[in-house]
Structure formats: C-alpha cells, structure tokens
Amino acid sequence: MLDQFTIATKGGIVLWSKEYADIVGHPVDSLVQDVLIQSARTESTKYHSGEYSLQWTFANELNIIFVAVYQKILQLPYLEDLLGHVKRHFVARFEQEIKALVEPECTTFPTFDTFNDEFERVCRAVEARDLQQRQGRQGVPRKFEDTKKFQSTVRGAKLELEELAQAGEHAPLSGRRQAAKMRSWGDRGNGAKKGDESDSIKKGKKKKGKENRVWDGQAAKGDLQALDFSGSKNDTGEVDYSASKLVDESARGERTSDGIYEVADVAERSGGVDEDFTLLEDSQDSQNTASGKSGGILGMFRSLTSGRVLTTEVLAEPMAQMREHLADKNVAADIADEVCQTVADGLVGVRVGGLQNIRKLVEQSMETALTRILAPVSSTDIIRDIEHVRRQQQRPYTMAFVGVNGVGKSTNLSKVCYWLLQNNKRVLIAACDTFRSGAVEQLRVHVRNLRALSDNQDVEIYERGYGKDSATIAKDSIAFGAANAFDVVLIDTAGRMQDNEPLMRALAKLVSLNSPDKILFVGEALVGNEAVDQLQKFNRAMRDFSAHPRPRQIDAIILTKFDTIDDRVGAALSMTYITGQPIVFVGTGQTYTDLRKMNVSQVIRALLRP
C-alpha cells in the first residue's frame, strides 16, 4: 500500500502530491538532496530513507520526477508499471502547463488538483491487473495428458508415434532417433541385412582403421602445438612481440599541438557511416518514387498532404514506423518509444507546407531529440582530470572497469593503458578479478606486451592471486600507487551478471571502500534491451548495497565490439539515455590501437540511415 505519491520538478518544486498515511520525516527531500542533485537521470530506480523506500521515474523532456513512497518492509512489484502509467497520463494532460512554468513571463503557479480522480483510476486499474497476474501464477494443476506418466501409457505411446510421423525430420532429436529405428526395422524387413558390406568395400577398398578417441575437455597429442597461442617463438626461443600483430599502425591516433596523444575518431575507420550521407537524400527519394517505393525516414510521412495540420492521430502511423526503424537499429523498445514521443510532440500542431518542409521538419526534430540524449553532459577529458588530481591531491587517478561477463573489460583496460602510456603516464594495473580462472595471467601478458611495444615502459601489475577480497586488493594497490608515484591505477574487476546479488554486493563494497575517480561500465554494442537492464541494475546495486551515505553511480561507458554492428548503433543511444553519462571510448578490434572516440553526429546519421 502506498504512503505517498509525489510529482515534482528536478529542482524540488512539488507540483502534485497525495498522502495515504502520515509521513515521518521528509523522504522526498532526502531523495532530491542525496540522489537527484548528485547524479544524472536514471529510470525506475529505488532509494531508502529511514523506514521508507522510494521508487521513481523521470519525464526527461519536462524535467519532472514521479516518486512513490511506501514502507520498506513491503514488496510492491507493480510500482514500476504504476509509475509509467501515471507519467503518461500526467504528461498528456498537463504538458503545456508544465512548459509554461519555465517561461520568464510566467507569474502564476498552475494547479494540478484535477489530477486526483484520474490518479485513483490509474491506481485501481494497475492494482487489479497485478492481482489478476498473481492469481494466474499461483499454479493450476496440470492435466494428466501433460505429465510424463501419461506418456508411459499405451494411449500416450500411440499419440507420441503419431506426432513423430507428422513432424518428420522436424521432430526432436529423441523422436528422430526413434523414427530412425523404425525405418531401419522396415529396411530389414525388406531384405536388408545388418552384415551387408558397402559397394566401396566390395570393390576392394581398404576399410579405414579405428581412430583414437579424444575425450571432451582434452586435446590430442598432435594438437597441443597448434593450440598454443601464447605467442610465436623465434630461433632463440623468445616470444616474438611483432608490432604488426598487436598494434595496427593505420589505426593510430594523432598528437595535438600540446603533445597530447588522442585516439582516432570512430568514423575514420568504421566505414559504417558515409561522410556525405544526408538524412533525406534528394536523389534517393526521386529514385524510390519512380520505382514506387518510399526512401529513408521521409517515406514514413509521404501520406501527409500539403496544408494539413499535424495531429496525434495523423502522426500515429508514421511514428509507429519510426519506432520500428529505431528498434531495427538495436535501440531498446522503451527508449525508442520515448524518442518517437518526443519527435511527435514537436510535430503536433505544425501545418505541412509541402514535401520539402516535411523534410526539414523531420530532420530538425529527430536530430534535436537524438543530440539531446547523446551529447556529453560531463567532461570526457580524462588526461586533464588525471593531471588535476596529481597536481592538487598528490595521489594517483583511479579508474574501475565494471561490466558483465565476456564483454572485454580486461582487453579494453589494456587499450586504455596503451593510450595512457602514449601520453607518458605511469600506470599501475590492479588485478582485482580474483574469481575468473586465468584473469591474473591475462593481465600479466598484457603488461608484458605493453612494455615491449611502448617507448614508455612505466606499467606494472599489482596482484595478490585468487580467492582474495577484491576490495582490499584495490585499496592496497591504490596505496602502492601513491607510494611509488604512479599517475593512474586501473582496477580490473570480475565480470558479473546484473542479477548475481553476492557479486554485486562485492562490487558495491569495492566502490564504497576505494571511491574511484571514474567508474567505467564496459558494455557490448551488440545488445539492445539487455543494455538497459544491465545498466539499471548495476547502478541500483551500487546504490542499494553501498555503505557510503552518498553512493556512487556509473560515470562513463566504454562500448566494445563496435566494429561488428555496421550501422546498428542503437546500444549507444540506449546506454547514454539510461545513465545520462557519455561514451568515452569505443572498441573496434583486438589490437591495442583499436580504441576510438564516439562521434555524436555520425551515430545520429547511422541511426537515421535507411
């Protein structure tokens, strides 16, 4: 049961509130001071204040927040659904009044008391649906025909054989085996004999001898050398650190006039976006029109006639097509809905004056919405931040790399290390992945390679083996780095799924104990909706499990495997939208120079590409 529901601006001005019980203290004020002012926007997050839990969501386009307050001991799984419905109803009803609040000439504060009845209707509908879903999950006894015991009866066996006969080659493996047995019995009945020899044997060819069996998890004796990828060896037996294998010379960045080595832009090498591409190409439109097809985003709006005023109903179909287009680009479904809603809101009420006007209208609205999401809201100049910390606080700058399993945290940590070495920084790598077998050895190889490839060899590894507390290792490594005048400490953490509570608690402990200057989330460019779930739960875990009064959140993102997605760059939009934090680097390969800077304009072009 809710205790309070509040709708307020991000600055703390309450627009509408409803209380169902007396509230002890000021939990909403604590939320604004401790979380909203300190961190960027998130979606459907939670916060605890005293005996209360708070769950909220943002309407980013209007800078307002919807907060539900309830007793901490309660479990209200329908709150996320309720927040979403209330947000849509409130924004649809009072959007113009909210926008008028920020106008300089606004002298009166509008009232939102008429929202009481609508809020009650939304609450009742959401609670009724949640009750119906929970009743449906309580479990209905299975029919006897659906149990394994029925399959062992005569009737069940007959039905199974009939299904196998109908399924044919598409039947399950066990069914195909049984069908194969039945066919073999039929063949024997037709005169075939088990001992018949093939034609090749009859012609005098020798039968192939029996091969030695290779058990699962083991390698044959002759394959051991082929499976050794630790490095090719020269005549002296030393490992060959060939720059052509570990460094792509064509992918190197450039030095600025200040001598700073900057990585190359992602558009210079990816090839996924054409520099001369425009959103609505005239030649492409004319060709598609002649062939009876609609080209680009403009094809979604060809049904709009000149002189017509755009309404929500008129824009419904083209917005649905635009939403599908963004989903095809790997944008998360909820975020595609939000972007399309923003674009539709900007187009409603505009009079269409011709095909060219539609083109400019769509270009401007889409680019504005996407740029507002992707443009960095915080500093991405890591070199400047490192020098500031070293000069002002006389300690190393710390960066923690976090993320799920298999996304490439250690590989991209080594790329960042190579970039720092090119800028003459002393780097210490803390091996805090004490969970995955081989993680420490992998970092040793990277350190050995980086020393051999770079003129600046000031890179070391701090390790304490496996099974130790990663938070303590990180703390000791930072102390070691400060005592030995290292400029940067790169903390490699274990990969963990966002639902693994023990490992997420360990990550929150590491962050709380060491307070790294930059928490980098390493995510794959291949994921879509999964990226939203990962980022939300990582931020939530670092907040809920933190012992610090002001818990930290993800500060920046590294997007890996960007060279495998062509123009399906939707993960960049999804991750930036959820965290409000910039993508500082993009991984495009396996060598140490395959690190790129994110180019916002090129990502927008790729998202809108037909």
Side-chain angles (χ1 to χ4, degrees), residues 10 38-43 45 58 60 335 370-380 518-519 521 531-532 535-536 539 553-557 571-584:
K10 289 186 179 180
Q38 300 297 329
S39 62
R41 61 179 181 268
T42 54
E43 282 288 328
T45 51
F58 285 123
N60 293 313
I335 297 172
L370 295 176
T371 303
R372 186 165 56 244
I373 296 172
L374 289 169
V377 295
S378 59
S379 173
T380 58
K518 188 79 72 176
I519 302 176
F521 179 85
V532 176
L535 283 165
Q536 285 181 341
N539 271 335
Q553 302 277 276
I554 290 169
D555 298 314
I557 299 169
L573 182 69
S574 300
M575 292 184 177
T576 307
Y577 185 90
I578 288 300
T579 61
Q581 302 297 347
I583 297 175
V584 290

Short mmCIF file of all heavy atoms in Angstrom, two decimals, residues 10 38-43 45 58 60 335 370-380 518-519 521 531-532 535-536 539 553-557 571-584:
data_model
loop_
_atom_site.label_atom_id
_atom_site.label_comp_id
_atom_site.label_asym_id
_atom_site.label_seq_id
_atom_site.Cartn_x
_atom_site.Cartn_y
_atom_site.Cartn_z
N LYS A 10 12.71 18.56 -10.96
CA LYS A 10 14.02 18.09 -10.51
C LYS A 10 14.65 19.05 -9.52
O LYS A 10 15.54 18.67 -8.77
CB LYS A 10 14.94 17.88 -11.71
CG LYS A 10 14.56 16.68 -12.57
CD LYS A 10 15.58 16.44 -13.65
CE LYS A 10 15.20 15.23 -14.48
NZ LYS A 10 16.17 14.95 -15.55
N GLN A 38 22.95 14.94 -6.99
CA GLN A 38 24.30 14.41 -7.09
C GLN A 38 24.54 13.58 -8.33
O GLN A 38 25.66 13.42 -8.75
CB GLN A 38 24.61 13.54 -5.85
CG GLN A 38 24.53 14.30 -4.55
CD GLN A 38 25.55 15.41 -4.47
OE1 GLN A 38 26.63 15.30 -5.03
NE2 GLN A 38 25.20 16.49 -3.79
N SER A 39 23.48 12.98 -8.92
CA SER A 39 23.67 12.06 -10.03
C SER A 39 22.81 12.45 -11.20
O SER A 39 21.91 13.27 -11.10
CB SER A 39 23.34 10.62 -9.59
OG SER A 39 21.99 10.54 -9.21
N ALA A 40 23.07 11.77 -12.34
CA ALA A 40 22.32 12.05 -13.57
C ALA A 40 21.04 11.25 -13.59
O ALA A 40 20.73 10.49 -12.69
CB ALA A 40 23.18 11.71 -14.79
N ARG A 41 20.29 11.42 -14.69
CA ARG A 41 18.98 10.78 -14.77
C ARG A 41 19.11 9.27 -14.87
O ARG A 41 20.04 8.73 -15.45
CB ARG A 41 18.23 11.29 -16.01
CG ARG A 41 18.94 10.98 -17.32
CD ARG A 41 18.10 11.52 -18.47
NE ARG A 41 18.73 11.21 -19.74
CZ ARG A 41 19.57 12.01 -20.36
NH1 ARG A 41 19.90 13.15 -19.82
NH2 ARG A 41 20.09 11.68 -21.52
N THR A 42 18.15 8.59 -14.25
CA THR A 42 18.04 7.15 -14.36
C THR A 42 16.57 6.82 -14.56
O THR A 42 15.71 7.68 -14.53
CB THR A 42 18.56 6.43 -13.09
OG1 THR A 42 17.87 6.98 -11.95
CG2 THR A 42 20.06 6.65 -12.92
N GLU A 43 16.28 5.51 -14.74
CA GLU A 43 14.90 5.11 -14.96
C GLU A 43 14.51 4.09 -13.89
O GLU A 43 15.20 3.11 -13.67
CB GLU A 43 14.76 4.48 -16.36
CG GLU A 43 14.71 5.49 -17.50
CD GLU A 43 13.42 6.27 -17.54
OE1 GLU A 43 12.37 5.72 -17.16
OE2 GLU A 43 13.46 7.43 -17.94
N THR A 45 14.28 3.77 -10.51
CA THR A 45 15.26 3.41 -9.50
C THR A 45 14.63 3.45 -8.11
O THR A 45 13.49 3.88 -7.94
CB THR A 45 16.46 4.36 -9.57
OG1 THR A 45 15.98 5.70 -9.55
CG2 THR A 45 17.23 4.15 -10.86
N PHE A 58 11.57 9.38 -14.30
CA PHE A 58 11.69 10.73 -14.83
C PHE A 58 10.86 10.93 -16.08
O PHE A 58 10.62 9.99 -16.83
CB PHE A 58 13.15 11.05 -15.20
CG PHE A 58 14.04 11.31 -14.03
CD1 PHE A 58 15.18 10.54 -13.83
CD2 PHE A 58 13.76 12.31 -13.12
CE1 PHE A 58 16.02 10.77 -12.76
CE2 PHE A 58 14.60 12.54 -12.04
CZ PHE A 58 15.72 11.77 -11.86
N ASN A 60 12.03 13.12 -18.74
CA ASN A 60 13.22 13.93 -19.01
C ASN A 60 12.91 15.16 -19.86
O ASN A 60 13.55 16.21 -19.70
CB ASN A 60 14.27 13.08 -19.72
CG ASN A 60 14.83 12.01 -18.82
OD1 ASN A 60 15.18 12.28 -17.69
ND2 ASN A 60 14.89 10.78 -19.30
N ILE A 335 13.06 3.05 -24.94
CA ILE A 335 13.74 4.28 -25.33
C ILE A 335 13.28 4.73 -26.72
O ILE A 335 13.12 5.92 -26.99
CB ILE A 335 15.26 4.08 -25.28
CG1 ILE A 335 15.67 3.79 -23.83
CG2 ILE A 335 16.01 5.29 -25.81
CD1 ILE A 335 17.08 3.38 -23.65
N LEU A 370 17.76 13.33 -30.68
CA LEU A 370 18.89 12.40 -30.51
C LEU A 370 20.13 13.11 -29.98
O LEU A 370 20.87 12.56 -29.17
CB LEU A 370 19.19 11.73 -31.85
CG LEU A 370 18.09 10.82 -32.39
CD1 LEU A 370 18.46 10.28 -33.77
CD2 LEU A 370 17.82 9.66 -31.45
N THR A 371 20.36 14.35 -30.43
CA THR A 371 21.52 15.09 -29.94
C THR A 371 21.40 15.39 -28.45
O THR A 371 22.38 15.32 -27.71
CB THR A 371 21.68 16.40 -30.73
OG1 THR A 371 21.80 16.10 -32.12
CG2 THR A 371 22.91 17.16 -30.26
N ARG A 372 20.18 15.70 -27.99
CA ARG A 372 19.98 15.98 -26.58
C ARG A 372 20.32 14.77 -25.72
O ARG A 372 20.78 14.91 -24.58
CB ARG A 372 18.53 16.41 -26.35
CG ARG A 372 18.27 16.88 -24.94
CD ARG A 372 16.96 17.63 -24.80
NE ARG A 372 15.84 16.85 -25.27
CZ ARG A 372 15.08 17.17 -26.32
NH1 ARG A 372 15.35 18.26 -27.01
NH2 ARG A 372 14.07 16.42 -26.69
N ILE A 373 20.12 13.58 -26.25
CA ILE A 373 20.41 12.36 -25.50
C ILE A 373 21.89 12.03 -25.55
O ILE A 373 22.52 11.70 -24.54
CB ILE A 373 19.58 11.19 -26.04
CG1 ILE A 373 18.09 11.44 -25.83
CG2 ILE A 373 19.98 9.88 -25.35
CD1 ILE A 373 17.19 10.42 -26.50
N LEU A 374 22.50 12.10 -26.75
CA LEU A 374 23.85 11.61 -26.95
C LEU A 374 24.94 12.62 -26.58
O LEU A 374 26.08 12.23 -26.33
CB LEU A 374 24.04 11.20 -28.41
CG LEU A 374 23.29 9.94 -28.85
CD1 LEU A 374 23.33 9.79 -30.36
CD2 LEU A 374 23.88 8.70 -28.19
N ALA A 375 24.62 13.91 -26.58
CA ALA A 375 25.64 14.91 -26.28
C ALA A 375 26.14 14.74 -24.85
O ALA A 375 25.34 14.60 -23.91
CB ALA A 375 25.08 16.31 -26.47
N PRO A 376 27.46 14.72 -24.61
CA PRO A 376 28.00 14.53 -23.25
C PRO A 376 27.57 15.66 -22.31
O PRO A 376 27.58 16.83 -22.69
CB PRO A 376 29.52 14.55 -23.47
CG PRO A 376 29.71 14.25 -24.92
CD PRO A 376 28.52 14.82 -25.62
N VAL A 377 27.18 15.28 -21.11
CA VAL A 377 26.79 16.27 -20.10
C VAL A 377 27.87 16.44 -19.05
O VAL A 377 27.73 17.27 -18.15
CB VAL A 377 25.46 15.86 -19.42
CG1 VAL A 377 24.33 15.87 -20.43
CG2 VAL A 377 25.58 14.48 -18.77
N SER A 378 28.93 15.65 -19.14
CA SER A 378 30.05 15.77 -18.21
C SER A 378 31.35 15.71 -19.00
O SER A 378 31.37 15.36 -20.18
CB SER A 378 30.01 14.65 -17.15
OG SER A 378 30.05 13.38 -17.77
N SER A 379 32.45 16.01 -18.34
CA SER A 379 33.75 16.08 -19.01
C SER A 379 34.21 14.70 -19.49
O SER A 379 34.04 13.69 -18.79
CB SER A 379 34.79 16.66 -18.06
OG SER A 379 36.09 16.58 -18.62
N THR A 380 34.77 14.67 -20.69
CA THR A 380 35.34 13.43 -21.23
C THR A 380 36.86 13.55 -21.38
O THR A 380 37.49 12.67 -21.96
CB THR A 380 34.71 13.09 -22.58
OG1 THR A 380 34.93 14.19 -23.49
CG2 THR A 380 33.23 12.84 -22.45
N LYS A 518 36.78 7.42 -11.49
CA LYS A 518 35.94 7.17 -12.65
C LYS A 518 35.53 5.69 -12.64
O LYS A 518 36.38 4.81 -12.57
CB LYS A 518 36.71 7.48 -13.94
CG LYS A 518 35.88 7.42 -15.20
CD LYS A 518 35.04 8.67 -15.39
CE LYS A 518 35.87 9.86 -15.78
NZ LYS A 518 35.02 11.04 -16.06
N ILE A 519 34.21 5.47 -12.69
CA ILE A 519 33.66 4.11 -12.79
C ILE A 519 33.21 3.93 -14.23
O ILE A 519 32.24 4.54 -14.67
CB ILE A 519 32.50 3.88 -11.82
CG1 ILE A 519 32.93 4.15 -10.38
CG2 ILE A 519 31.96 2.46 -11.95
CD1 ILE A 519 31.81 4.04 -9.36
N PHE A 521 31.69 1.66 -17.13
CA PHE A 521 30.91 0.46 -17.46
C PHE A 521 31.28 0.02 -18.87
O PHE A 521 31.17 0.79 -19.83
CB PHE A 521 29.41 0.76 -17.38
CG PHE A 521 28.55 -0.43 -17.72
CD1 PHE A 521 28.23 -1.37 -16.74
CD2 PHE A 521 28.07 -0.62 -19.01
CE1 PHE A 521 27.45 -2.47 -17.06
CE2 PHE A 521 27.28 -1.72 -19.32
CZ PHE A 521 26.97 -2.64 -18.34
N ALA A 531 20.94 -4.04 -22.59
CA ALA A 531 21.79 -2.96 -22.09
C ALA A 531 21.08 -2.14 -21.04
O ALA A 531 21.68 -1.71 -20.05
CB ALA A 531 22.23 -2.07 -23.25
N VAL A 532 19.79 -1.90 -21.24
CA VAL A 532 19.00 -1.12 -20.28
C VAL A 532 18.95 -1.84 -18.94
O VAL A 532 19.17 -1.25 -17.88
CB VAL A 532 17.58 -0.89 -20.83
CG1 VAL A 532 16.72 -0.16 -19.81
CG2 VAL A 532 17.64 -0.08 -22.13
N LEU A 535 22.51 -1.78 -17.10
CA LEU A 535 22.89 -0.50 -16.51
C LEU A 535 22.01 -0.14 -15.31
O LEU A 535 22.50 0.34 -14.29
CB LEU A 535 22.81 0.59 -17.57
CG LEU A 535 23.97 0.59 -18.57
CD1 LEU A 535 23.64 1.43 -19.78
CD2 LEU A 535 25.23 1.12 -17.90
N GLN A 536 20.72 -0.37 -15.44
CA GLN A 536 19.82 -0.06 -14.33
C GLN A 536 20.19 -0.86 -13.08
O GLN A 536 20.25 -0.32 -11.97
CB GLN A 536 18.38 -0.35 -14.73
CG GLN A 536 17.76 0.68 -15.66
CD GLN A 536 16.33 0.35 -16.01
OE1 GLN A 536 15.89 -0.79 -15.86
NE2 GLN A 536 15.60 1.33 -16.47
N ASN A 539 23.66 0.22 -11.51
CA ASN A 539 23.50 1.45 -10.73
C ASN A 539 22.72 1.20 -9.44
O ASN A 539 23.05 1.72 -8.38
CB ASN A 539 22.79 2.50 -11.57
CG ASN A 539 23.76 3.34 -12.39
OD1 ASN A 539 24.92 3.49 -12.02
ND2 ASN A 539 23.29 3.88 -13.49
N GLN A 553 27.56 6.13 -8.75
CA GLN A 553 26.91 5.54 -9.90
C GLN A 553 27.93 5.43 -11.03
O GLN A 553 29.07 5.88 -10.89
CB GLN A 553 25.72 6.42 -10.36
CG GLN A 553 24.67 6.64 -9.28
CD GLN A 553 23.68 5.51 -9.17
OE1 GLN A 553 22.71 5.43 -9.88
NE2 GLN A 553 23.94 4.61 -8.25
N ILE A 554 27.55 4.84 -12.14
CA ILE A 554 28.43 4.73 -13.29
C ILE A 554 28.71 6.13 -13.84
O ILE A 554 27.81 6.94 -14.02
CB ILE A 554 27.79 3.83 -14.36
CG1 ILE A 554 27.78 2.38 -13.87
CG2 ILE A 554 28.52 3.94 -15.69
CD1 ILE A 554 26.94 1.45 -14.71
N ASP A 555 30.00 6.41 -14.12
CA ASP A 555 30.42 7.74 -14.57
C ASP A 555 30.57 7.85 -16.08
O ASP A 555 30.44 8.94 -16.63
CB ASP A 555 31.75 8.12 -13.91
CG ASP A 555 31.64 8.18 -12.40
OD1 ASP A 555 30.67 8.77 -11.90
OD2 ASP A 555 32.52 7.62 -11.72
N ALA A 556 30.91 6.76 -16.74
CA ALA A 556 31.14 6.80 -18.18
C ALA A 556 31.03 5.37 -18.73
O ALA A 556 30.96 4.40 -17.96
CB ALA A 556 32.49 7.42 -18.51
N ILE A 557 31.03 5.26 -20.05
CA ILE A 557 30.80 3.98 -20.72
C ILE A 557 31.87 3.76 -21.76
O ILE A 557 32.29 4.69 -22.46
CB ILE A 557 29.41 3.95 -21.38
CG1 ILE A 557 28.31 4.14 -20.33
CG2 ILE A 557 29.18 2.65 -22.14
CD1 ILE A 557 26.94 4.40 -20.92
N ALA A 571 22.62 0.59 -29.31
CA ALA A 571 23.08 0.40 -27.93
C ALA A 571 23.70 1.68 -27.38
O ALA A 571 23.60 1.96 -26.18
CB ALA A 571 24.09 -0.75 -27.86
N ALA A 572 24.36 2.46 -28.24
CA ALA A 572 24.94 3.72 -27.78
C ALA A 572 23.85 4.66 -27.29
O ALA A 572 24.00 5.33 -26.26
CB ALA A 572 25.73 4.37 -28.93
N LEU A 573 22.75 4.71 -28.01
CA LEU A 573 21.64 5.57 -27.59
C LEU A 573 21.01 5.06 -26.30
O LEU A 573 20.72 5.83 -25.38
CB LEU A 573 20.59 5.63 -28.71
CG LEU A 573 19.38 6.52 -28.45
CD1 LEU A 573 19.79 7.98 -28.43
CD2 LEU A 573 18.30 6.29 -29.50
N SER A 574 20.80 3.75 -26.20
CA SER A 574 20.15 3.17 -25.02
C SER A 574 20.97 3.41 -23.76
O SER A 574 20.45 3.83 -22.73
CB SER A 574 19.93 1.67 -25.23
OG SER A 574 19.12 1.42 -26.36
N MET A 575 22.27 3.13 -23.83
CA MET A 575 23.12 3.26 -22.65
C MET A 575 23.26 4.71 -22.20
O MET A 575 23.22 5.02 -21.00
CB MET A 575 24.51 2.67 -22.94
CG MET A 575 24.52 1.18 -23.12
SD MET A 575 26.20 0.53 -23.35
CE MET A 575 25.86 -1.23 -23.43
N THR A 576 23.42 5.62 -23.16
CA THR A 576 23.54 7.02 -22.80
C THR A 576 22.25 7.56 -22.21
O THR A 576 22.25 8.36 -21.27
CB THR A 576 23.95 7.85 -24.03
OG1 THR A 576 25.11 7.27 -24.61
CG2 THR A 576 24.25 9.29 -23.65
N TYR A 577 21.12 7.13 -22.75
CA TYR A 577 19.83 7.60 -22.26
C TYR A 577 19.60 7.15 -20.82
O TYR A 577 19.12 7.92 -19.99
CB TYR A 577 18.71 7.07 -23.16
CG TYR A 577 17.34 7.59 -22.82
CD1 TYR A 577 16.85 8.75 -23.40
CD2 TYR A 577 16.53 6.92 -21.90
CE1 TYR A 577 15.59 9.23 -23.08
CE2 TYR A 577 15.27 7.39 -21.58
CZ TYR A 577 14.80 8.55 -22.17
OH TYR A 577 13.56 9.03 -21.85
N ILE A 578 19.92 5.91 -20.50
CA ILE A 578 19.65 5.36 -19.18
C ILE A 578 20.52 6.02 -18.12
O ILE A 578 20.04 6.36 -17.03
CB ILE A 578 19.87 3.84 -19.19
CG1 ILE A 578 18.75 3.15 -19.98
CG2 ILE A 578 19.91 3.28 -17.77
CD1 ILE A 578 17.37 3.40 -19.43
N THR A 579 21.80 6.21 -18.40
CA THR A 579 22.72 6.73 -17.37
C THR A 579 22.88 8.24 -17.43
O THR A 579 23.22 8.86 -16.42
CB THR A 579 24.11 6.10 -17.53
OG1 THR A 579 24.63 6.45 -18.83
CG2 THR A 579 24.03 4.59 -17.42
N GLY A 580 22.66 8.84 -18.60
CA GLY A 580 22.95 10.25 -18.75
C GLY A 580 24.44 10.54 -18.81
O GLY A 580 24.86 11.69 -18.76
N GLN A 581 25.26 9.49 -18.93
CA GLN A 581 26.72 9.64 -18.94
C GLN A 581 27.27 9.38 -20.33
O GLN A 581 26.69 8.65 -21.12
CB GLN A 581 27.36 8.68 -17.93
CG GLN A 581 26.89 8.85 -16.50
CD GLN A 581 27.23 10.21 -15.93
OE1 GLN A 581 28.04 10.96 -16.50
NE2 GLN A 581 26.60 10.57 -14.82
N PRO A 582 28.43 9.95 -20.66
CA PRO A 582 28.96 9.85 -22.02
C PRO A 582 29.64 8.52 -22.30
O PRO A 582 30.07 7.81 -21.38
CB PRO A 582 29.98 11.00 -22.07
CG PRO A 582 30.45 11.12 -20.65
CD PRO A 582 29.25 10.81 -19.79
N ILE A 583 29.74 8.20 -23.58
CA ILE A 583 30.55 7.07 -24.04
C ILE A 583 31.93 7.64 -24.37
O ILE A 583 32.09 8.37 -25.35
CB ILE A 583 29.92 6.40 -25.27
CG1 ILE A 583 28.55 5.82 -24.91
CG2 ILE A 583 30.84 5.32 -25.82
CD1 ILE A 583 27.80 5.23 -26.09
N VAL A 584 32.91 7.34 -23.53
CA VAL A 584 34.23 7.97 -23.69
C VAL A 584 35.07 7.27 -24.74
O VAL A 584 35.87 7.91 -25.43
CB VAL A 584 34.98 7.99 -22.33
CG1 VAL A 584 34.33 8.97 -21.38
CG2 VAL A 584 35.05 6.61 -21.70
#
